[in-house]
Amino acid sequence: QSALTQPPSASGSPGQSVTISCAGTSSDVGDYNSVSWYQQYPGKAPKFIIYEVNKRPSGVPDRFSGSKSGNTASLTVSGLQAEDEADYYCSSYAGSDIWVFGGGTKLTVL
Amino acid sequence: QVQLVQSGAEVKKPGASVRVSCKASGYTFSNYVIHWVRQAPGQRLEWMGFINAGNLKTKYSEKFQDRVTITGDTSASTASMELSSLRSEDTAVYYCARKQSGEKYPFDYWGQGTLVTVSS
């Protein structure tokens, strides 16, 4: 049950787009459409922003979008805003009632 | 509204056990699954296991299999997680998170987190 692989950091200027990758295996990301993404501010609990690879819950801006290709999922934040600066984690079902998280990516808005 | 309220911070000595509770409100407790996720200081989220509040079935991560016990009390709408044989590396914030049964659903509501500090 290895963690999913995310880049430790990502950055972009206000208004730009940034994409965060989440690399798994054919046993987790590649085998299930159950990737979700979480946004976490310092000292706060995570909040889900994407589920089932590319679905957004109500209240999450459409600037956030998700996708998947093979064993890698991605989160794209378009039109970056200062409030998007946070840590982002992906998660995937890994079979046999097991879930796995990514290592997290710190997004900096320059 | 849905709320998961966790018990307060704990300080434990190495070798001891800790129990963290998670009281749910605003929904039917037995219709969902409660997962436990921990986060060491400055580190990633780490999935520990879950309890299905409907049938009280549990599943644990291999990493914690020998040391963790998750229980549920449907009459009190409360789930609890006990971690034994604590070591310094177990110092972390422990979260409970709600999830519908089934692989595609996200962890949609989270508790506020409970800091567990293991120190001699």
Side-chain angles (χ1 to χ4, degrees), chain B residues 4-62:
Chain B
L4 298 175
V5 179
Q6 300 182 218
S7 50
E10 302 264 11
V11 179
K12 296 291 183 180
K13 293 192 182 304
S17 297
V18 68
R19 185 179 182 89
V20 179
S21 66
C22 170
K23 182 168 177 60
S25 61
Y27 71 97
T28 301
F29 182 69
S30 58
N31 287 352
Y32 288 82
V33 182
I34 295 291
H35 290 249
W36 289 88
V37 177
R38 79 175 188 180
Q39 186 171 37
Q43 300 301 309
R44 71 178 185 93
L45 300 172
E46 187 172 28
W47 182 79
M48 300 180 68
F50 71 78
I51 184 164
N52 183 317
N55 57 22
L56 300 184
K57 168 190 169 183
T58 57
K59 177 75 174 186
Y60 304 128
S61 166
E62 275 185 23

Side-chain angles (χ1 to χ4, degrees), chain A residues 50-104:
Chain A
I50 295 287
Y51 67 105
E52 285 186 63
V53 176
N54 55 15
K55 296 181 179 179
R56 263 188 328 274
S58 60
V60 173
D62 59 7
R63 303 183 293 103
F64 292 90
S65 62
S67 62
K68 189 183 87 166
S69 177
N71 297 338
T72 299
S74 298
L75 172 72
T76 297
V77 187
S78 306
L80 270 176
Q81 298 183 5
E83 68 207 49
D84 300 331
E85 185 161 297
D87 293 329
Y88 292 85
Y89 291 89
C90 60
S91 173
S92 175
Y93 182 63
S96 302
D97 283 343
I98 298 293
W99 273 263
V100 63
F101 283 94

Side-chain angles (χ1 to χ4, degrees), chain B residues 49-98:
Chain B
F50 71 78
I51 184 164
N52 183 317
N55 57 22
L56 300 184
K57 168 190 169 183
T58 57
K59 177 75 174 186
Y60 304 128
S61 166
E62 275 185 23
K63 176 174 179 176
F64 302 102
Q65 177 76 38
D66 296 335
R67 297 195 296 136
V68 71
T69 303
I70 299 174
T71 56
D73 180 347
T74 52
S75 66
S77 298
T78 299
S80 298
M81 183 281 300
E82 182 170 359
L83 188 63
S84 63
S85 303
L86 290 169
R87 34 211 189 227
S88 58
E89 310 90 87
D90 294 318
T91 293
V93 175
Y94 290 76
Y95 293 102
C96 61
R98 188 189 84 158

